[in-house]
Amino acid sequence: MESMKVFFADAESSFADGHFAIFGVPFDGTCSHRKGTALAPKAIREESYNFETYLWEHEVDLEDIPMHDMTDVLCSNIDEMMGGVGTTMEQILGAGKFPIILGGEHSLTPPAVRKFKDIGVVILDAHLDFRDQYLDEPNSHACATRRVFDIVGPDNVITIGVRSMEKWEQQEAEMHGLNFIDAPTLRKKGMAKCLADLKRESIYLSLDMDFIDPSHAPGVGNPEFFGFSPDIVKECINELAEKLVGFDVCEVSPPYDNGNTAALAARLVREVIGVVWKAKKEAE
Ligand code: MN
Ligand code: MN
């Protein structure tokens, strides 16, 4: 059923009935190296059909979870993309639903985060993304963490797994007081301790797929080696569980993929949906 694959697997509820609202952002207009992230929402949706609906570890079945796929926002230029993400987020949050965004490039995260009140943000990324602008574009994907930092302030964002930055970018991050945890520190401390610094009760998680090692996730815009296995992303999702209020996965680049990066992104979306739903049911 090829035609069904325009929607994420098991996203069969109406918008009104869905607790999770998925949408795609097929945009790669500011990509600094490998182009192709615009093709990722389609690839992630297609790969989502690979998986069983039952998440055995959590004893939840995705078939029983109300979710809706709103399809893609229009993205012919960065202003349209940012506007589209903003209005779609307003629609989702206004209806009390949980947004799940399929990127696209990392530049989608600031306009999404902007729509929350009192939000803490966790970013998993190989890159610091703390440039004030890149190639004269302040909304470039290379500035994603910087823009999020501008919105939520130094106490409410933490970026984890960083292993690539310019020297001046590092100095600027330190000067501004960005809480960033480099890859060796994450290895030493473990994920749970890194997340313990978060003060806010509601957390948005942004997963730049290049956080994961290219051996597991080769199809990304800017691959960085000495990264992490997918287990630690799963650990992060499970650790945050009841605090999570929104999620994006970005930087998958299908032209450079063997299929596994898009499949892993789809699997991690399914993990978020299962884990957040289970935590919500347990809290009721
Ligand atoms: Mn990034
Ligand atoms: Mn990155």
Side-chain angles (χ1 to χ4, degrees):
M1 292 269 282
E2 193 58 40
S3 62
M4 283 296 292
K5 294 186 181 173
V6 295
F7 302 115
F8 196 81
D10 305 300
E12 290 174 7
S13 300
S14 65
F15 179 77
D17 291 341
H19 178 69
F20 297 91
I22 300 165
F23 67 98
V25 183
F27 182 73
D28 61 6
T30 77
C31 254
S32 46
H33 183 51
R34 296 172 170 180
K35 287 271 178 190
T37 42
L39 301 168
K42 182 174 186 285
I44 295 168
R45 285 188 179 101
E46 281 171 3
E47 290 300 326
S48 68
Y49 288 81
N50 172 57
F51 300 103
E52 311 279 3
T53 62
Y54 184 57
L55 297 183
W56 65 274
E57 291 163 282
H58 309 303
E59 300 181 314
V60 292
D61 200 314
L62 276 90
E63 258 180 358
D64 303 330
I65 301 177
M67 52 175 128
H68 175 74
D69 190 333
M70 302 170 77
T71 70
D72 291 342
V73 299
L74 295 173
C75 291
S76 56
N77 59 59
I78 184 138
D79 294 330
E80 189 179 69
M81 182 278 282
M82 291 178 65
V85 168
T87 48
T88 308
M89 287 295 293
E90 279 170 16
Q91 201 184 340
I92 294 170
L93 298 178
K97 303 184 189 301
F98 187 111
I100 293 192
I101 314 177
L102 312 175
E105 51 167 61
H106 213 172
S107 50
L108 66 85
T109 305
V113 162
R114 191 180 290 283
K115 297 298 169 182
F116 289 93
K117 277 196 203 91
D118 302 327
I119 191 81
V121 181
V122 174
I123 299 170
L124 303 181
D125 200 329
H127 304 93
L128 199 54
D129 285 358
F130 204 72
R131 290 170 156 89
D132 195 36
Q133 47 177 285
Y134 188 69
L135 304 176
D136 295 327
E137 177 52 76
N139 296 310
S140 165
H141 74 151
C143 312
T145 298
R146 180 66 173 264
R147 295 288 84 83
V148 168
F149 179 91
D150 293 344
I151 295 165
V152 300
D155 291 339
N156 300 309
V157 57
I158 179 168
T159 183
I160 301 175
V162 177
R163 54 195 187 272
S164 173
M165 65 200 98
E166 299 285 355
K167 185 177 184 184
W168 58 263
E169 194 186 6
Q170 177 184 7
Q171 287 167 340
E172 222 166 281
E174 283 164 356
M175 187 181 80
H176 283 82
L178 174 71
N179 187 356
F180 70 93
I181 292 169
D182 62 39
T185 305
L186 171 57
R187 283 204 174 81
K188 218 181 308 165
K189 278 176 82 171
M191 183 60 84
K193 278 199 183 127
C194 295
L195 296 171
D197 289 347
L198 292 162
K199 290 175 186 72
R200 288 202 164 145
E201 282 309 303
S202 298
I203 303 295
Y204 179 97
L205 176 61
S206 176
L207 170 62
D208 181 326
M209 283 295 284
D210 63 37
F211 167 86
I212 298 162
D213 193 77
S215 58
H216 299 281
V220 293
N222 301 79
E224 272 298 333
F225 297 89
F226 318 112
F228 297 91
S229 102
D231 298 77
I232 196 161
V233 180
K234 205 151 160 274
E235 191 186 336
C236 178
I237 293 166
N238 283 272
E239 193 67 38
L240 293 173
E242 67 275 7
K243 291 185 173 180
L244 274 186
V245 294
F247 175 69
D248 72 57
V249 56
C250 55
E251 297 292 333
V252 172
S253 187
Y256 297 88
D257 198 9
N258 56 11
N260 285 349
T261 315
L264 177 56
R267 177 62 183 82
L268 291 168
V269 166
R270 293 171 81 74
E271 185 76 10
V272 168
I273 292 170
V275 163
V276 168
W277 182 254
K278 187 184 182 187
K280 175 180 150 64
K281 289 286 132 187
E282 282 173 355
E284 281 173 4

